[in-house]
């Protein structure tokens, strides 16, 4: 056998037709093949450069090829990459300690994705409901326009019928309420608990990402917290998209002045390496050996890399950068909105997760602007048909924000 490795062989030109022949068509892909990244920039297979304001959909916290990420990946893969949770895994304990000491949580469980973290949260809630509150048929309230994942339980928790179509029967035990509407929430709880308690948890995003970049209302969430305390209901926050500094604070709930009983994170935690986490307070830490598990979850490789990401976020003050660059970005977007009031309804968001909201009566949709921006070298992502989402790496610079604003301005002009 030749000692030559695949890395030594000439690279075959990328062929999308060959790709589509073998890969399931579960994604509507843009017609570019990205092959390299550095910082906030990526390049396609033809050498075209792009400014990346998608970051793997709010995932590449440190951007691309950050030295700290490269070092952590290299060191851990050369040491120990996977064993199993049959044994103690020191990097897992180190990461759990970092997260717990910097949040309201007392315990952490690790998995591989946001959907898995939310699935774990649903299981924890149900066990708590049965074993602590003695509820026969526990119900979890979630918000309309929410997004919690693609597993059967999490698409049921997701309050968007388009994600549930053709996947029935769905998992029972979920009821949907409007987001940021406290009167509707109180009425739903009163109706469900009229004869006997049923509501076990309220599961919400601190900011709805896929639902159109809708920030949680502070007064609403504080009343939700009060209701949960009064009735023994668990408050679960899905921070998969907003956690680990994305909002200009380490955790999204810090923008709301409350603490959840349970929260989940994933995307930004590993900076692009798959990892998810379920965190909870000790009062609801009810999962026991055998209740829940993950073969790959919490492995040495993923945890060492995630810890390096977290430490770099702290060391390089990227939470503060997300706050400052987010203000700069919103100022620039608002200036465009003022100039194009015929097209743009509003600008909303926290930190470095922001949405440019198009008017419903306009014929322009978010994908039109995303495609026009891509042609000019700026990568953006829709958050529904009328919202363009901006989620650059947390280490984005002032100059890169200014450049993105100008590219966006040109893109909108070309569309309109």
């Amino acid at each position: 056998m030749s000692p030559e490795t695949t890395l030594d062989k000439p690279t075959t030109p990328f062929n999308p037709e060959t790709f589509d022949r073998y890969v399931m068509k579960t994604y509507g892909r843009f017609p570019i093949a990205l092959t390299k990244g550095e910082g906030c920039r990526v390049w396609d297979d033809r050498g075209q450069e792009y400014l990346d304001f998608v970051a793997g959909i709010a995932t590449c916290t440190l951007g691309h090829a950050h030295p700290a990420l490269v070092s952590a990946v290299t060191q851990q893969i050369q040491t120990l990459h996977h064993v199993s949770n049959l044994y103690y895994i020191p990097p897992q304990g180190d990461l759990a300690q970092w997260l717990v000491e910097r949040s309201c949580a007392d315990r952490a469980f690790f998995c591989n994705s946001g959907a898995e973290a939310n699935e774990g949260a649903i299981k924890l809630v149900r066990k708590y409901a049965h074993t602590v509150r003695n509820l026969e048929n526990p119900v979890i309230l979630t918000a309309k326009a929410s997004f919690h994942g693609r597993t059967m339980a999490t698409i049921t928790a997701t309050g968007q019928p388009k994600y549930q179509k053709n996947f029935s029967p769905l998992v029972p035990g979920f009821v949907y309420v409007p987001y940021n509407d406290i009167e509707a929430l109180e009425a739903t709880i009163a109706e469900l608990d009229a004869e006997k308690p049923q509501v076990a948890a309220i599961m919400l995003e601190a900011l709805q990402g896929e639902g159109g970049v809708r920030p949680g209302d502070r007064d609403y969430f504080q009343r939700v917290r009060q209701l949960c305390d009064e009735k023994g209901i668990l408050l679960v926050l899905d921070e998969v998209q907003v956690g680990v500094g994305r909002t200009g604070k380490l955790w999204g709930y810090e923008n709301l002045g409350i603490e959840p009983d349970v929260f989940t994170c994933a995307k930004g935690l590993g900076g692009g390496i798959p990892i998810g986490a379920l965190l909870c307070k000790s009062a609801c830490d009810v999962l026991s050996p055998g209740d829940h598990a993950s073969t790959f979850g919490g492995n040495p490789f993923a945890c060492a890399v995630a810890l390096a990401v977290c430490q770099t976020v702290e060391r390089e003050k990227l939470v503060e950068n997300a706050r400052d660059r987010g203000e700069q970005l919103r100022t620039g977007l608002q200036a465009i909105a003022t100039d194009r009031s015929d097209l743009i309804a509003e600008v909303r968001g926290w930190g470095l997760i922001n949405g440019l909201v198009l008017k419903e009566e306009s014929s322009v949709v978010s994908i039109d602007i995303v495609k026009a921006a891509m042609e000019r070298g700026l990568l953006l992502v829709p958050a529904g048909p009328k919202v363009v989402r901006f989620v650059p790496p947390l280490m984005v610079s002032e100059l890169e924000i200014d450049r993105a604003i100008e590219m966006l301005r040109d893109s909108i002009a070309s569309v309109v």
Side-chain angles (χ1 to χ4, degrees):
M1 182 179 293
S2 170
E4 185 182 49
T5 68
T6 55
L7 293 177
D8 299 320
K9 297 177 181 177
T11 302
T12 303
F14 177 75
N15 186 333
E17 293 181 359
T18 302
F19 183 98
D20 288 337
R21 188 181 307 153
Y22 298 108
V23 179
M24 285 188 183
K25 294 184 178 179
T26 58
Y27 300 95
R29 300 178 192 270
F30 294 110
I32 61 173
L34 300 177
T35 58
K36 176 186 174 183
E38 180 180 338
C40 288
R41 298 175 298 160
V42 291
W43 288 264
D44 66 17
D45 60 325
R46 300 178 181 179
Q48 174 67 46
E49 179 183 324
Y50 301 87
L51 186 58
D52 184 7
F53 271 47
V54 178
I57 311 183
T59 297
C60 300
T61 307
L62 306 183
H64 303 278
H66 190 289
L69 195 63
V70 172
S71 176
V73 166
T74 303
Q75 181 177 343
Q76 193 60 44
I77 202 68
Q78 293 176 336
T79 305
L80 184 69
H81 72 288
H82 180 76
V83 281
S84 98
N85 284 292
L86 293 172
Y87 316 102
Y88 283 101
I89 300 172
Q92 183 181 139
D94 293 340
L95 177 59
Q97 181 178 355
W98 194 97
L99 294 172
V100 165
E101 289 182 348
R102 290 161 180 79
S103 75
C104 64
D106 298 309
R107 298 285 189 278
F109 169 86
F110 295 104
C111 49
N112 311 291
S113 68
E116 288 181 56
N118 287 335
E119 188 89 15
I122 291 166
K123 288 180 68 175
L124 182 149
V125 163
R126 288 190 169 186
K127 183 175 181 183
Y128 182 89
H130 286 296
T131 62
V132 177
R133 295 189 59 204
N134 298 313
L135 303 186
E136 293 180 13
N137 295 297
V139 172
I140 299 174
L141 303 185
T142 66
K144 295 177 181 179
S146 60
F147 184 85
H148 298 293
R150 301 280 190 165
T151 65
M152 283 306 301
T154 56
I155 65 164
T156 308
T158 293
Q160 298 195 58
K162 67 179 180 180
Y163 293 112
Q164 301 167 346
K165 185 179 179 181
N166 296 326
F167 295 114
S168 59
L170 299 175
V171 177
F174 293 91
V175 172
Y176 312 112
V177 295
Y179 191 63
N180 282 339
D181 186 336
I182 196 62
E183 292 182 359
L185 177 66
E186 290 180 335
T188 302
I189 294 173
E191 180 181 353
L192 290 170
D193 287 356
E195 296 184 5
K196 59 181 178 180
Q198 291 188 79
V199 179
I202 301 171
M203 184 176 185
L204 301 167
E205 294 162 275
L207 172 150
Q208 287 191 331
E210 302 301 321
V213 191
R214 298 178 184 276
D217 179 74
R218 189 180 179 92
D219 290 340
Y220 170 81
F221 273 84
Q222 291 189 353
R223 177 57 181 151
V224 172
R225 177 70 271 176
Q226 184 180 17
L227 282 170
C228 289
D229 291 340
E230 291 171 357
K231 298 177 179 295
I233 297 170
L234 294 181
L235 177 56
V236 181
L237 291 192
D238 176 344
E239 298 227 358
V240 168
Q241 190 159 170
V242 301
V244 196
R246 171 64 53 187
T247 68
K249 295 184 182 292
L250 189 58
W251 306 112
Y253 68 78
E254 294 180 273
N255 295 277
L256 302 169
I258 54 117
E259 291 184 356
D261 302 298
V262 181
F263 72 96
T264 58
C265 64
K267 286 178 178 287
L269 181 59
I273 299 301
I275 186 171
L278 161 64
L279 296 107
C280 71
K281 293 192 173 184
S282 57
C284 54
D285 180 22
V286 295
L287 296 178
S288 304
D291 282 343
H292 198 49
S294 171
T295 296
F296 297 112
N299 68 64
F301 178 76
C303 287
V305 174
L307 181 60
V309 170
C310 291
Q311 291 173 335
T312 304
V313 165
E314 193 169 52
R315 182 176 61 252
E316 297 187 0
K317 299 186 183 303
L318 296 187
V319 176
E320 293 85 347
N321 192 65
R323 179 195 64 210
D324 295 342
R325 299 286 71 75
E327 290 177 358
Q328 178 192 355
L329 177 58
R330 283 188 297 280
T331 298
L333 294 177
Q334 190 57 59
I336 293 176
T338 299
D339 292 341
R340 301 308 313 237
S341 59
D342 57 318
L343 172 66
I344 299 168
E346 65 173 312
V347 174
R348 61 193 183 209
W350 291 336
L352 285 175
I353 178 166
N354 294 282
L356 186 71
V357 185
L358 306 179
K359 289 189 171 180
E360 288 296 329
E361 61 269 25
S362 169
S363 62
V364 177
V365 292
S366 56
I367 195 69
D368 297 332
I369 293 176
V370 168
K371 288 179 178 179
M374 184 180 299
E375 292 176 358
R376 286 155 182 77
L378 173 64
L379 300 184
L380 302 171
V381 60
K386 286 292 185 176
V387 181
V388 181
R389 181 171 19 172
F390 300 75
V391 280
L394 301 195
M395 35 67 68
V396 67
S397 69
E398 184 176 354
L399 183 62
E400 287 166 332
I401 294 288
D402 285 341
R403 182 182 170 203
I405 291 295
E406 289 309 308
M407 295 167 82
L408 176 68
R409 190 181 292 275
D410 292 342
S411 302
I412 291 175
S414 73
V415 168
V416 176

